[in-house]
Amino acid sequence: MESKFWLVAQREYLTRVRKKSFLILTLLVPVLFVGFGFLIAKVAMADNDDIDVVRVLDQSPDRLGSRLKSTERMQFIPVQGPLEQAKSEYRKSDDGGLLYLPATITPEQSTGIQLYAKGNVSLRKQKAVEDALDKILAEEKLRGAGLSQEKLDALRSSVDVASINLDEEGKEKSSNALATSGISYALALLIYMFIFIYGVQIMRGVGEEKSSRIMEVMLSSVKPFQLMMGKIVGIAAVGLTQFLLWGLLSWGASVVVGSVVLDKFAAPKTEVAGTSSQTTAGSTVSAGTSATTQPNDSQDVMQQATTARTGVFKVLADLPIGTILFGFIAYFLGGYLLYGALFGAIGAAVDDQTDTQQFMFPITMPLILSYIIGVSVILRNPDGPVAFWMSMIPFTSPIAMVIRLPFGVPAWQLALSLVLLAIGFVGTVWVGARIYRVGVLMYGKKVTYRELSKWMLYKG
């Protein structure tokens, strides 16, 4: 019995691994993943370098516009003249907006302020202008209450909160909410995607063999349960192989591309003296001054890059990496085996692949709900009651628990969740095997939910 089961699993594994599509996808995905990651980072950095220039026409009695402070993302430039002239000159410019402060504006009455732009005003730009004006008007109200500028400056504060993870034994570790949430989201997305991908592979594989009538030949020497479990385990091995290769190739590509990009970004810029100097009839401006400052800029960039990488490694070192890796593999396998048995049962029950949709929806609904609730609720409160109960239910725990793992999960909750997942897997395998043994040899009959319930009660 065991030898036949392993023969089926080996056949499923080797058949898929030797396909050109498997090799191309395994090699291409890490390159695309790393490439898209650096592309997104480059676009984000380029977007951060853009500065919105906003012209300010200030007609307020207290000259509030003169106290608008420029930021790294927005620069305020005062302009003069009537409003129509300012609008006409703005339309001819490349600036990002025109802010009009009317003469009727006061700290108590702030209506009538207008922000002109070429096209619709972006939410980010409008929010930045509103925040800058709110700050000025608030200070004006406080000044009107008798506070001096020195006291206003003393009231300002900049708080930097360091988050510390204190475990049950009293050990302290640094924590980074953004990094932890990002890892949780990525793990949930991976499990969500690959349970679907490899589950559908099981369903389609069974359906193709059933439609080609090769199933009748295979069942003459292999029992239905052995055949179903062989397919599930074989495709699971394919998934693990692909995960391992993707991880190694992605890490290697990230190291190579990252070092090239950082070296290129941090390389000192050199200029030819002829292009960086200007010679006039009476004077010569040399490029020596700028040349002496550029190595310092390069050193600053290298220092920032080194600090950023050190911070990332420190955050990763403080995370429970061993628990995360173990939990990810355990819940990937458990969730895949649980849903894979049901996907295999669907493939055996129907003759036409178009009929699978009506049976897939109720099966995949818990998976979809766990992903939606996970990224919207569990990420915000990983220790709440919703997170706890969803990480215990076998149909939702593969996603719910991996979201909680980077935040730290008590050992007893992790053990209980895995035990319940194993029980759920045994139950779905029993249901899937009962449907599989009948449906795999049934042709030309429209299957209903009532018919499936009868198949589960057949003896033999």
Side-chain angles (χ1 to χ4, degrees):
M1 174 178 177
E2 293 182 359
S3 61
K4 295 180 179 179
F5 161 76
W6 287 114
L7 284 175
V8 175
Q10 183 181 4
R11 172 184 173 274
E12 292 293 328
Y13 178 81
L14 295 177
T15 301
R16 284 169 168 77
V17 168
R18 290 173 178 173
K19 288 183 178 180
K20 291 183 178 179
S21 59
F22 175 86
L23 298 176
I24 294 174
L25 192 64
T26 302
L27 296 175
L28 191 60
V29 166
V31 177
L32 293 177
F33 178 77
V34 175
F36 278 123
F38 280 100
L39 177 62
I40 293 172
K42 186 175 181 180
V43 171
M45 292 172 61
D47 183 65
N48 289 332
D49 292 338
D50 293 338
I51 300 176
D52 280 327
V53 178
V54 177
R55 299 185 174 202
V56 181
L57 179 60
D58 185 13
Q59 297 180 355
S60 62
D62 297 324
R63 294 299 175 187
L64 300 176
S66 62
R67 295 202 291 273
L68 285 171
K69 295 183 178 180
S70 299
T71 63
E72 296 178 356
R73 304 294 298 275
M74 183 167 290
Q75 182 179 3
F76 295 101
I77 298 178
V79 296
Q80 304 296 330
L83 179 59
E84 293 301 325
Q85 179 184 348
K87 289 193 290 185
S88 176
E89 293 177 353
Y90 162 67
R91 288 196 300 268
K92 299 176 184 178
S93 70
D94 295 329
D95 295 338
L98 172 63
L99 178 63
Y100 172 60
L101 304 178
T104 58
I105 184 176
T106 63
E108 293 76 18
Q109 186 69 26
S110 58
T111 59
I113 301 175
Q114 295 174 327
L115 178 61
Y116 298 93
K118 300 170 185 176
N120 294 324
V121 180
S122 65
L123 180 61
R124 187 189 72 180
K125 185 184 298 183
Q126 182 174 349
K127 187 68 168 56
V129 172
E130 289 176 349
D131 290 343
L133 289 173
D134 286 340
K135 188 176 181 179
I136 293 175
L137 293 175
E139 291 181 354
E140 193 67 21
K141 289 180 181 180
L142 293 173
R143 188 177 289 108
L147 294 178
S148 63
Q149 185 62 40
E150 290 76 11
K151 291 183 178 180
L152 289 176
D153 294 337
L155 289 174
R156 297 191 185 98
S157 60
S158 178
V159 180
D160 185 12
V161 178
S163 56
I164 304 297
N165 180 12
L166 187 64
D167 61 16
E168 297 176 354
E169 299 178 357
K171 295 181 180 179
E172 297 182 1
K173 295 180 180 179
S174 62
S175 176
N176 188 307
L178 181 60
T180 305
S181 299
I183 294 174
S184 298
Y185 181 82
L187 294 176
L189 182 62
L190 285 174
I191 286 190
Y192 175 78
M193 289 177 55
F194 285 102
I195 285 179
F196 263 108
I197 291 173
Y198 293 111
V200 170
Q201 284 189 17
I202 295 174
M203 183 180 65
R204 289 181 177 176
V206 174
E208 290 173 359
E209 291 176 352
K210 179 180 177 180
S211 60
S212 64
R213 299 299 180 97
I214 194 176
M215 194 68 71
E216 298 176 0
V217 179
M218 297 176 66
L219 290 177
S220 63
S221 57
V222 182
K223 292 182 179 180
F225 180 79
Q226 295 175 332
L227 184 60
M228 184 186 74
M229 289 304 300
K231 286 181 174 296
I232 293 175
V233 172
I235 296 177
V238 175
L240 288 177
T241 302
Q242 207 160 40
F243 267 134
L244 179 61
L245 293 175
W246 279 347
L248 294 175
L249 293 174
S250 297
W251 177 79
S254 299
V255 171
V256 173
V257 177
S259 61
V260 171
V261 171
L262 288 175
D263 291 342
K264 183 178 179 181
F265 180 69
K269 297 180 180 179
T270 57
E271 295 182 356
V272 181
T275 60
S276 59
S277 62
Q278 295 177 348
T279 304
T280 62
S283 64
T284 302
V285 180
S286 175
T289 303
S290 62
T292 58
T293 59
Q294 285 172 356
N296 294 331
D297 295 338
S298 174
Q299 292 175 1
D300 292 340
V301 171
M302 288 295 294
Q303 185 176 1
Q304 293 175 1
T306 303
T307 303
R309 281 183 287 183
T310 303
V312 170
F313 288 133
K314 191 175 187 307
V315 170
L316 293 177
D318 290 333
L319 290 175
I321 299 297
T323 304
I324 293 174
L325 292 177
F326 167 77
F328 178 78
I329 295 174
Y331 282 98
F332 165 72
L333 288 176
Y336 163 78
L337 294 173
L338 186 146
Y339 282 96
L342 298 178
F343 275 112
I346 293 174
V350 299
D351 291 336
D352 192 351
Q353 292 295 317
T354 57
D355 295 334
T356 59
Q357 300 300 323
Q358 61 173 324
F359 298 107
M360 281 185 62
F361 181 74
I363 291 176
T364 58
M365 180 56 68
L367 193 65
I368 297 172
L369 286 178
S370 62
Y371 177 76
I372 296 174
I373 296 176
V375 298
S376 60
V377 177
I378 299 178
L379 271 179
R380 295 202 308 265
N381 188 11
D383 297 321
V386 175
F388 172 78
W389 289 110
M390 289 191 68
S391 61
M392 295 298 134
I393 300 174
F395 287 95
T396 58
S397 62
I399 290 180
M401 185 57 86
V402 296
I403 292 178
R404 298 181 60 197
L405 287 176
F407 294 95
V409 179
W412 70 269
Q413 292 188 17
L414 181 60
L416 178 60
S417 177
L418 289 174
V419 170
L420 293 176
L421 181 61
I423 294 173
F425 161 64
V426 172
T428 56
V429 167
W430 182 85
V431 172
R434 305 285 290 186
I435 297 175
Y436 189 93
R437 62 172 185 166
V438 179
V440 77
L441 292 177
M442 187 168 291
Y443 302 94
K445 184 175 183 179
K446 194 72 173 179
V447 181
T448 62
Y449 288 104
R450 185 176 180 181
E451 190 72 20
L452 291 179
S453 64
K454 291 181 179 179
W455 293 358
M456 289 188 290
L457 300 177
Y458 286 167
K459 295 182 179 181

